[in-house]
Amino acid sequence: MRTQVAIVGAGPAGLLLSHLLWLDGIDSVILENRSRDYVERRVRAGVCEDPTVKLLRDVGLAERLDREGLPHHGIVLRFDGEDHRIALTDLTGRTITVYGQQEIVKDLIAARLKAGAQIHFEVSDVEVHDVTGDRPRVTYKDSAGAVQEIQADVIAGCDGFHGISRPSIPDSELTVYDHVYPFAWLGVLVKAPPANDELIYANHERGFALHSMRTPEVTRLYLQVDPSDSLDQWSDARIWDELHARFAIDGDFSLHEGPILERLLSPMRSFVVEPMRYGRLFLAGDSAHIVPPTGAKGMNLAVHDVLVLSRAFKELLQSGRTDLVESYSDTCLRRVWRAEHFSYFMTSMLHRAHDADPFQHRLQLSQLRYTASSTAAATSLAENYVGLPFP
């Protein structure tokens, strides 16, 4: 099989890259080790930055997002028993939109298949070869177990943190930056209407909690837990008791309980590799960087990566220009490190470390109070949260 761009991974990064390339008349093939049903049901991020939404509109992928997505004009910081609203739109003129990553994946797959794209699901034993030459290859077993080969001009590794793309690069060629946080998130999807119209970030003596949503009928809730915890330790009753305690406020507020549809434990880490390119293998999204979800940046970073990468591939493949592929890593990493810093800031300000001393807690409260009371501090948070403009 011959194509211009071989894409490993059918998450938001790989699918959007294929769509952007198609708009420029560039052929691609996507390989995905999971089934279509799995990737369309995999619940991940839900906050779309303003630049992400604008890009999806510009490339014809926002029809359902505009119909079903939930625009938000602010977020709430809850501490000291009170709510403190950060007015995102008033401070920046922009909004965020709550629309599940799995919904974006559904839209992308539908658009790609309608355009006749080749997406091969349930492949295995994927390997990349000859990436330092000008004729890289990808080999794999298809869903029937037959060995296949794709010859390409370039390869995009969009297969996530646990994929094969990054490990295919020699360790000596990468610098790894890894920071593991001393807590994890327990996330639950609940069949009940949200208790608030906007996201609530709660700093409580028992630990952090986040109130989010997916639709007007489905709420997404998170609890800071110990990273050694298991799901077996968290019964429905314990989850609700802890949520009610951490969202308690001096006023009228109550969570809407309902059946828990899904629960997931997620470790918290910051991770970056440099560079995001090795020969003709280019990393994008979670294969190159991970951010803690507190800043709502993961999927949005992947969108920016593939926007930059699609422009670089267009110049390389259609005019022979190499400057954009050569600068791809540096261009993306500037935004990646800004997002890493913002996510670290949000995580450190809102979570309670189990071994934190009273001094650290007072520093947290000082930062929260300053952010909530200072227009300059609130604007900085809002500007980063809604997303810095795409180039």
Side-chain angles (χ1 to χ4, degrees), residues 168-190:
S168 299
I169 301 174
D171 291 344
S172 60
E173 300 296 325
L174 294 176
T175 300
V176 176
Y177 302 90
D178 194 9
H179 177 77
V180 178
Y181 295 85
F183 31 76
W185 272 17
L186 169 61
V188 294
L189 200 65
V190 179

Side-chain angles (χ1 to χ4, degrees), residues 88-211:
L88 302 176
T89 305
D90 291 346
L91 292 166
T92 68
R94 292 174 284 154
T95 64
I96 58 166
T97 301
V98 173
Y99 188 66
Q101 176 176 308
Q102 75 276 15
E103 303 305 324
I104 291 177
V105 168
K106 291 175 189 175
D107 297 341
L108 281 164
I109 290 176
R112 292 282 61 234
L113 293 179
K114 183 179 180 181
Q118 294 190 61
I119 309 176
H120 300 279
F121 293 102
E122 299 183 83
V123 304
S124 60
D125 297 339
V126 180
E127 295 182 4
V128 299
H129 311 270
D130 305 329
V131 296
T132 56
D134 58 4
R135 287 289 183 269
R137 301 176 294 118
V138 183
T139 57
Y140 66 98
K141 290 182 180 178
D142 63 23
S143 57
V147 176
Q148 306 288 350
E149 179 178 291
I150 300 175
Q151 298 177 352
D153 295 304
V154 288
I155 300 172
C158 306
D159 49 345
F161 183 76
H162 299 289
I164 62 93
S165 296
R166 188 183 66 254
S168 299
I169 301 174
D171 291 344
S172 60
E173 300 296 325
L174 294 176
T175 300
V176 176
Y177 302 90
D178 194 9
H179 177 77
V180 178
Y181 295 85
F183 31 76
W185 272 17
L186 169 61
V188 294
L189 200 65
V190 179
K191 189 176 182 181
N196 194 62
D197 292 336
E198 297 176 336
L199 279 71
I200 302 173
Y201 288 81
N203 175 289
H204 189 271
E205 63 183 10
R206 299 168 71 116
F208 168 77
L210 171 62
H211 173 283

Side-chain angles (χ1 to χ4, degrees), residues 307-328:
L307 175 61
V308 175
L309 191 56
S310 68
R311 293 169 177 170
F313 283 170
K314 178 183 178 182
E315 293 302 323
L316 176 69
L317 299 175
Q318 293 185 346
S319 65
R321 280 181 56 191
T322 62
D323 56 313
L324 293 186
V325 292
E326 290 168 356
S327 64
Y328 164 71

Side-chain angles (χ1 to χ4, degrees), residues 342-356:
F342 177 68
S343 300
Y344 177 86
F345 162 75
M346 291 285 285
T347 303
S348 302
M349 179 174 67
L350 290 161
H351 290 71
R352 296 285 190 94
H354 295 299
D355 57 352

Side-chain angles (χ1 to χ4, degrees), residues 55-110:
L55 175 64
L56 294 175
R57 287 177 181 148
D58 288 345
V59 299
L61 293 169
E63 179 182 355
R64 197 161 67 93
L65 182 152
D66 284 333
R67 186 173 66 250
E68 301 178 12
L70 305 174
H72 284 212
H73 300 281
I75 61 172
V76 174
L77 301 180
R78 180 169 291 185
F79 62 94
D80 284 345
E82 297 179 355
D83 281 346
H84 308 264
R85 185 172 184 267
I86 305 297
L88 302 176
T89 305
D90 291 346
L91 292 166
T92 68
R94 292 174 284 154
T95 64
I96 58 166
T97 301
V98 173
Y99 188 66
Q101 176 176 308
Q102 75 276 15
E103 303 305 324
I104 291 177
V105 168
K106 291 175 189 175
D107 297 341
L108 281 164
I109 290 176

Side-chain angles (χ1 to χ4, degrees), residues 283-309:
L283 305 180
D286 286 359
S287 65
H289 43 74
I290 297 287
V291 291
T294 329
K297 291 286 166 262
M299 178 183 65
N300 298 289
L301 280 179
V303 169
H304 176 261
D305 286 351
V306 297
L307 175 61
V308 175
L309 191 56

